[in-house]
Amino acid sequence: MIPVCKPWLPGNERKYVIDALDTNWISSSGEYITRFEENFSKFCGVKYGIGCSSGFGALHLACAALELKKSDEVIAPTFTMAASINSIIITGAKPVLVDADPETYCIDVKKIEERITNRTKAIMAVHIYGHPCDMDKINYLAKKYNLFVIEDAAESHGAEYKGRKCGSISDIGCFSFYANKILTTGEGGMCVTNNLKFAERMKRLRNHAFDLPRFIHKEVGFNYRLTNIQAAIGTAQVENADMLVEARRNVGLKYNEKLKDFKKIILPKEKDYAKNVYWMYGIVLSDEVKLSREEIMQRLKEKGVDTRNFFIPMHKQPAYYNKTVENVPDCKWDFPIANKIGERGFYLPSSSDITDKEIDEVCMVLKKVLE
Ligand SMILES: Cc1ncc(COP(=O)(O)O)c(C=O)c1O
C-alpha cells in the first residue's frame, strides 16, 4: 500500500532525541526548546516563536492572547479542520463561517465583508492543503474594521504569499507539527508573532499562567507545553526545513505534470501570488465522473493506493448544528463551494519522500479506476 502520508526524519532527529534523553532534559525545559523556537520563527521570518503541544493548542493560545470572549465573533472558513473552529469556541467567542474560494479552497475573501458585524473581533485565515489565503484582501478588511488576524498555517509550512512565509502575515501565525505535517515533532505546535506582548502572554498561558512569586496565577492558564524531546526532533527538522518544503512541493509539481491532461479531475491550483507547498495533493472529481467518491477511493485502496477524503465542512458537523454548546457557528447559510469540494474531493499519497515510481503508479491506477 502506498500510504497517504508518512513522516520523514532525514537528519539529526535521532541524535538530538538521544542527547535530550542522555542529558535528562525530557520535559518542557531544555536547550532544544529554545533552539526550535528561535530557528523555526526565523525560518518564518518572524521575531518570536512559542512552542506548544499541538496545532490546536497554538490556535487556542492565539485566540486567548487576543482576549477573545463571549459576545465576540471571529470570521473563519467552513472548509477547514475542526481544530480551527473549536479553538474559537472554547474562548466563548462565536465563529462565523464563510464559504471556500472555488480555486484555492481557502476562505473566499469576497464573502468576508458581508459577515462582519460590530461584534467581529478577528478573522482566522486557514491556509488549506498548503495553498496560502489571499492575505492582502484579508489584512485590508482587518484594517478597515479594526480586527485582528490569526493565520492557521498548520498545513502550510514554508508556503508563501507574495514572497512572505505563511504564518508571518498577520498578528499571530499558528502551526501544527503532527506526524503528517511537512515539518513534524510527532505531536506539537507553535505560535509565531512579531508582537512581544502577545508572545509573552502566550508563553505564560501555555504554562498554567504561572506568575511571580511562584504559584500565583493572575489569570486562567492551560498546559500546552512542548517537551524537549519533541523539540529535539523539531530542531533537526528545521535544519532541513528548505529541503523538506521543496520535497513536498515537488511531489505536487510531479502530480501536476502527470495529471494535467486528465479531464476527469480538477487539480489543485497555484495562484500568481502563491507558492503552494501541496501539503496534501487534493483533487476534486469533475461532474462527468458518475461513480461516487467513496467507491473510487475504495477501488484505489484495493489496488494499493491509500487516499483520504477532504474535510467535511464545519456547517455539516453535528457538534455545531445540534448546538451542543451555546456559541457554535450558525450553520444555516448556503456554502455551495465547500459542499461541493467536501463531497467530491480527496487527496492522493503525498509523503515528502514518495518515489517517482510510486507517483507513476498512483497516476496509472487513478486513471484506470476513473476510466
Ligand atoms: C488546518 C488545521 N488546523 C489545525 C490543526 C490541528 O493541529 P493538531 O492536530 O496538531 O492539533 C490541523 C491538523 O491537521 C489542521 O489541518
Side-chain angles (χ1 to χ4, degrees), residues 53-59 79-85 87 124 126-129 152-156 174-181 186-189 279 311 347:
S53 51
S54 66
F56 172 76
L59 289 163
F79 191 70
T80 185
M81 194 257 194
S84 320
I85 303 306
S87 70
M124 184 180 282
V126 187
H127 306 298
I128 289 287
Y129 299 154
D152 180 346
E155 305 174 351
S156 296
C174 302
F175 291 88
S176 163
F177 299 111
Y178 181 67
N180 64 9
K181 299 304 185 297
E187 296 281 355
W279 169 61
F311 295 133
Y347 36 88

Side-chain angles (χ1 to χ4, degrees), residues 112-371:
I112 293 177
E113 196 161 11
E114 65 203 55
R115 295 275 201 271
I116 294 175
T117 69
N118 54 11
R119 295 177 170 211
T120 310
K121 183 108 185 252
I123 302 173
M124 184 180 282
V126 187
H127 306 298
I128 289 287
Y129 299 154
H131 193 291
C133 299
D134 192 346
M135 291 307 294
D136 278 355
K137 303 244 169 69
I138 291 170
N139 284 330
Y140 164 80
L141 288 172
K143 199 161 174 206
K144 182 167 167 189
Y145 293 98
N146 196 23
L147 310 173
F148 294 113
V149 179
I150 296 174
E151 285 168 272
D152 180 346
E155 305 174 351
S156 296
H157 308 180
E160 290 176 17
Y161 177 78
K162 299 189 178 170
R164 294 169 70 189
K165 291 254 171 37
C166 284
S168 74
I169 321 165
S170 61
D171 294 290
I172 305 173
C174 302
F175 291 88
S176 163
F177 299 111
Y178 181 67
N180 64 9
K181 299 304 185 297
I182 299 179
L183 274 71
T184 182
T185 58
E187 296 281 355
M190 199 181 296
C191 299
V192 298
T193 181
N194 285 316
N195 182 314
L196 179 62
K197 201 175 109 235
F198 290 156
E200 285 177 340
R201 189 167 158 75
M202 292 190 289
K203 260 195 178 153
R204 204 166 54 244
L205 290 176
R206 80 171 162 186
N207 187 21
H208 301 300
F210 276 121
D211 220 311
L212 291 173
R214 187 127 174 115
F215 297 120
I216 283 286
H217 305 270
K218 293 185 192 133
E219 55 193 329
V220 177
F222 331 112
N223 178 356
Y224 286 135
R225 295 180 305 239
L226 180 76
T227 70
N228 198 45
I229 303 169
Q230 294 166 310
I233 303 175
T235 302
Q237 290 267 288
V238 182
E239 286 173 353
N240 285 320
D242 290 332
M243 191 261 281
L244 293 170
V245 169
E246 286 316 308
R248 193 68 146 241
R249 174 172 159 78
N250 280 333
V251 173
L253 296 179
K254 281 178 194 158
Y255 276 127
N256 279 346
E257 186 52 35
K258 295 207 171 299
L259 297 172
K260 67 175 190 278
D261 299 322
F262 192 45
K263 299 288 174 246
K264 302 210 171 195
I265 50 174
I266 300 158
L267 303 186
K269 304 281 183 301
E270 184 174 57
K271 300 293 278 184
D272 288 347
Y273 60 68
K275 174 176 174 181
N276 188 348
V277 289
Y278 303 100
W279 169 61
M280 291 290 168
Y281 193 82
I283 59 173
V284 176
L285 296 168
S286 63
D287 293 340
E288 67 177 278
V289 177
K290 297 299 170 218
L291 279 179
S292 74
R293 172 184 64 186
E294 281 60 34
E295 177 69 35
I296 289 163
M297 289 171 62
Q298 180 55 32
R299 290 190 190 183
L300 286 165
K301 193 165 208 155
E302 282 159 14
K303 293 182 179 356
V305 175
D306 201 14
T307 57
R308 291 284 182 285
N309 57 291
F310 270 17
F311 295 133
I312 297 172
M314 293 301 111
H315 64 277
K316 291 191 161 176
Q317 300 297 337
Y320 305 150
Y321 64 68
N322 285 336
K323 295 203 185 301
T324 54
V325 290
E326 196 188 329
N327 55 324
V328 291
D330 289 329
C331 300
K332 60 183 185 221
W333 288 304
D334 196 20
F335 302 97
I337 305 299
N339 284 341
K340 175 159 185 208
I341 59 179
E343 277 164 23
R344 300 285 282 172
F346 62 97
Y347 36 88
L348 300 178
S350 300
S351 305
S352 304
D353 63 345
I354 187 173
T355 63
D356 288 358
K357 202 164 149 252
E358 286 171 320
I359 292 178
D360 286 346
E361 171 78 11
V362 172
C363 296
M364 199 254 307
V365 170
L366 179 69
K367 286 181 182 175
K368 224 183 225 167
V369 167
L370 288 175
E371 268 155 7

Side-chain angles (χ1 to χ4, degrees), residues 92-111:
K94 179 173 165 159
V96 175
L97 302 177
V98 171
D99 202 2
D101 178 279
E103 289 196 292
T104 65
Y105 311 152
C106 295
I107 191 165
D108 187 339
V109 291
K110 295 189 293 307
K111 295 183 183 154

